[in-house]
């Protein structure tokens, strides 16, 4: 793939924030972006790295009406020795292709887009923040751009990658959050698009998240759509429980997003010799277990926070405190180890980090 390079004029270049404290997640973007187009009969073409800026599309562009799209989220890190690395980036593009299949989008050549991403990263490497716990968030996206409002598979697409420097998720230390189990709304149904990282899933979740926030909870824990009984996941994180010393997470049934952090926690847990299970977990099992002490930890896992300990679960108006409400030892161990690999403080026996 040939990539055209159009650099921003020196007087167009922005100045990366000097410190990431106070920078709101996802509000600042680097100087450049990668774009390429797809058309029936032509495939992917017009690959270009160009100055970050508005996209030109008609109001009839199909994605604006029917949300035929896919996105991804991954991060670039500066290690303690000053090296720049990505964390399991091929897994993100593999997942993007699985989303693409479900949403009838054209698939990507994983090695080609990874090479394009690395070229973009090298050009904007001055934007990878260096303070502890910071990173450069990367957002690859595919949208349907055919100018037509009839519902069908689009014949034209745009793929782009934009990048945003982000501060440490935990600025006041690694603290547990309060989450609300909803039995009023559901996120995804069997046969639907729950496993796809596609816009509609998130649009549909905003109301539940808003109501939970108004009641003092940071996120919603979703139950299965059929029985409203089995645990699925949290907002943009998968969820783990420590039950009688065993690490347990809901199995992937098609309505849960298959997180790369989830996969990494499972692999690391097995590597450490922990007992690990992927299975159905009912909300009753969790609440009973918290009360009788067999559930000792609950934590979320996702790229943004890496690990997010849960201190309180609220269900049908009752609050239930997990253990003593403090961060558990396994949550801490996973957090320290995963961030340790990402920032080059820990050995990387699995080859998860990739320099650029
Ligand atoms: C992205 C996402 C996750 C976490 O996936 P990671 O690859 O670990 O970042 C979990 N659930 C939902 C709904 C998501 O969108």
């Amino acid at each position: 793939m040939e990539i055209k390079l159009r650099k921003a004029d020196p007087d167009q270049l922005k100045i990366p924030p000097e410190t990431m404290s106070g920078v709101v997640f996802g509000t600042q973007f680097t100087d450049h972006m990668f774009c390429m187009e797809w058309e029936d009969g032509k495939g992917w073409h017009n690959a270009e790295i160009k100055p970050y800026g508005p996209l030109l599309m008609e109001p009839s562009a199909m994605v604006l009406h029917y949300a035929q799209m896919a996105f991804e989220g991954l991060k670039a890190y500066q290690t303690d020795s000053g090296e720049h690395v990505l964390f399991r980036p091929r897994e993100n593009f593999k997942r993007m292709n699985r989303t693409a299949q479900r949403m009838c989008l054209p698939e990507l050549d994983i090695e080609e887009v990874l090479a394009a991403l690395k070229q973009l990263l090298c050009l904007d490497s001055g934007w990878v923040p260096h303070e502890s716990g910071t990173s450069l968030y990367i957002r690859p996206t595919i949208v349907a751009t055919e100018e037509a409002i009839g519902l069908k598979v689009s014949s034209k697409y745009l793929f782009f990658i934009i990048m945003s420097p982000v501060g440490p998720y935990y600025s006041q230390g690694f603290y547990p959050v309060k989450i609300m189990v909803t039995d009023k709304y559901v996120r995804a149904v069997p046969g639907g698009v729950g496993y796809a990282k596609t816009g509609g899933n998130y649009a549909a979740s905003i109301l539940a998240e808003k109501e939970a926030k108004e009641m003092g909870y940071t996120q919603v824990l979703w139950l299965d759509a059929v029985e409203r009984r089995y645990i699925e996941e949290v907002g943009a994180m998968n969820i783990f429980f420590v039950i009688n010393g065993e690490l347990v997470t809901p199995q992937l049934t098609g309505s849960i997003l298959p997180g790369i952090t989830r996969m990494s926690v499972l692999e690391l847990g097995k590597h450490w010799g922990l007992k690990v299970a992927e299975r159905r977990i009912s909300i009753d099992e969790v609440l009973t277990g918290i009360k009788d002490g067999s559930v000792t930890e609950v934590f979320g896992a996702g790229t943004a926070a890496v690990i997010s300990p849960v201190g309180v679960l609220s269900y049908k108006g009752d609050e239930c405190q997990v253990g003593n409400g403090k961060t558990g030892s396994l949550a801490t161990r996973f957090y320290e180890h995963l961030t340790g690999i990402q920032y080059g403080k820990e050995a990387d026996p699995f080859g998860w980090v990739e320099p650029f």
Side-chain angles (χ1 to χ4, degrees):
M1 180 171 62
E2 207 189 308
I3 302 174
K4 211 170 111 190
L5 175 61
R6 186 155 58 83
K7 284 194 195 175
D9 292 335
D11 62 344
Q12 273 186 311
L13 293 176
K14 296 171 281 193
I15 297 163
E18 208 139 279
T19 166
M20 290 308 301
S21 67
V23 176
V24 177
F25 177 88
T27 56
Q28 298 207 18
F29 296 91
T30 68
D31 288 312
H32 297 90
M33 61 184 184
F34 173 80
C35 291
M36 68 178 175
E37 293 167 72
W38 192 93
E39 215 177 300
D40 266 354
K42 241 174 142 177
W44 289 113
H45 62 283
N46 265 356
E48 187 177 18
I49 289 176
K50 57 184 174 189
Y52 176 92
L55 301 173
L56 199 59
M57 62 169 83
E58 293 196 18
S60 57
M62 290 180 65
V63 66
L64 301 178
H65 303 271
Y66 309 118
Q68 193 197 351
M69 66 87 70
F71 72 92
E72 269 303 326
L74 68 160
K75 284 172 168 179
Y77 308 85
Q78 176 159 324
T79 66
D80 285 1
S81 57
E83 203 188 7
H84 286 158
V85 300
L86 289 162
F87 185 73
R88 311 189 80 175
R90 283 180 186 79
E91 297 298 334
N92 289 88
F93 290 117
K94 274 195 227 161
R95 183 170 65 192
M96 191 163 212
N97 278 346
R98 292 198 301 270
T99 301
Q101 281 170 7
R102 181 64 179 83
M103 306 308 292
C104 295
L105 304 162
E107 290 184 44
L108 301 162
D109 180 312
I110 293 175
E111 293 309 320
E112 280 189 355
V113 287
L114 185 55
L117 169 60
K118 287 183 182 176
Q119 194 180 332
L120 177 66
L121 280 164
C122 289
L123 184 61
D124 282 351
S125 64
W127 287 84
V128 182
H130 56 267
E131 290 162 283
S132 165
T134 61
S135 55
L136 185 66
Y137 186 82
I138 300 162
R139 171 54 58 88
T141 309
I142 310 175
V143 295
T145 50
E146 186 182 335
E147 301 85 356
I149 54 173
L151 179 59
K152 62 174 180 99
V153 178
S154 174
S155 63
K156 286 169 66 182
Y157 299 88
L158 173 68
F159 171 77
F160 60 84
I161 304 176
I162 55 175
M163 310 196 291
S164 172
V166 296
Y169 193 87
Y170 296 102
S171 45
Q172 280 117 35
F174 188 48
Y175 57 90
V177 296
K178 291 168 70 170
I179 59 177
M180 191 174 120
V181 184
T182 180
D183 56 358
K184 182 173 169 195
Y185 302 108
V186 295
R187 178 183 174 272
V189 297
V193 298
Y195 69 87
K197 230 170 161 74
T198 188
N201 281 331
Y202 305 86
S205 73
I206 293 174
L207 181 59
E209 303 272 353
K210 176 175 168 271
E211 289 181 6
K213 287 223 168 78
E214 282 164 2
M215 293 172 70
Y217 300 95
T218 42
Q219 294 207 34
V220 168
L221 178 64
W222 302 100
L223 300 178
D224 79 279
V226 178
E227 296 184 59
R228 301 206 186 180
R229 218 179 126 202
Y230 295 100
I231 307 276
E232 298 237 305
E233 61 178 315
V234 193
M237 287 191 294
N238 297 109
I239 190 136
F240 284 85
F241 301 89
V242 180
I243 309 179
N244 292 316
E246 184 182 32
L247 183 66
V248 187
T249 194
Q251 77 219 71
L252 300 176
T253 53
S255 51
I256 297 174
L257 203 289
I260 293 154
T261 319
R262 174 189 182 278
M263 178 164 74
S264 306
V265 166
L266 287 171
E267 289 172 24
L268 202 52
K270 283 178 200 158
H271 179 73
W272 288 342
L274 297 177
K275 267 182 76 187
V276 167
E278 294 172 75
R279 62 167 171 88
R280 290 215 294 190
I281 311 157
S282 71
I283 183 64
D284 311 305
E285 178 185 353
V286 169
L287 296 176
T288 310
I290 291 174
K291 285 183 187 127
D292 71 20
S294 54
V295 172
T296 48
E297 290 189 46
V298 180
F299 58 89
T303 296
V306 186
I307 299 292
S308 180
V310 176
V312 170
L313 277 178
S314 160
Y315 181 58
K316 293 189 192 290
D318 277 340
E319 281 203 348
C320 196
Q321 182 178 293
V322 184
N324 58 5
K326 304 253 160 59
T327 300
S329 58
L330 265 184
T332 306
R333 190 172 174 205
F334 280 115
Y335 179 76
E336 295 291 335
H337 211 91
L338 284 170
T339 54
I341 291 174
Q342 290 161 346
Y343 291 99
K345 293 177 175 62
E346 291 278 350
D348 173 27
F350 314 100
W352 284 346
V353 297
E354 176 146 343
F356 62 86

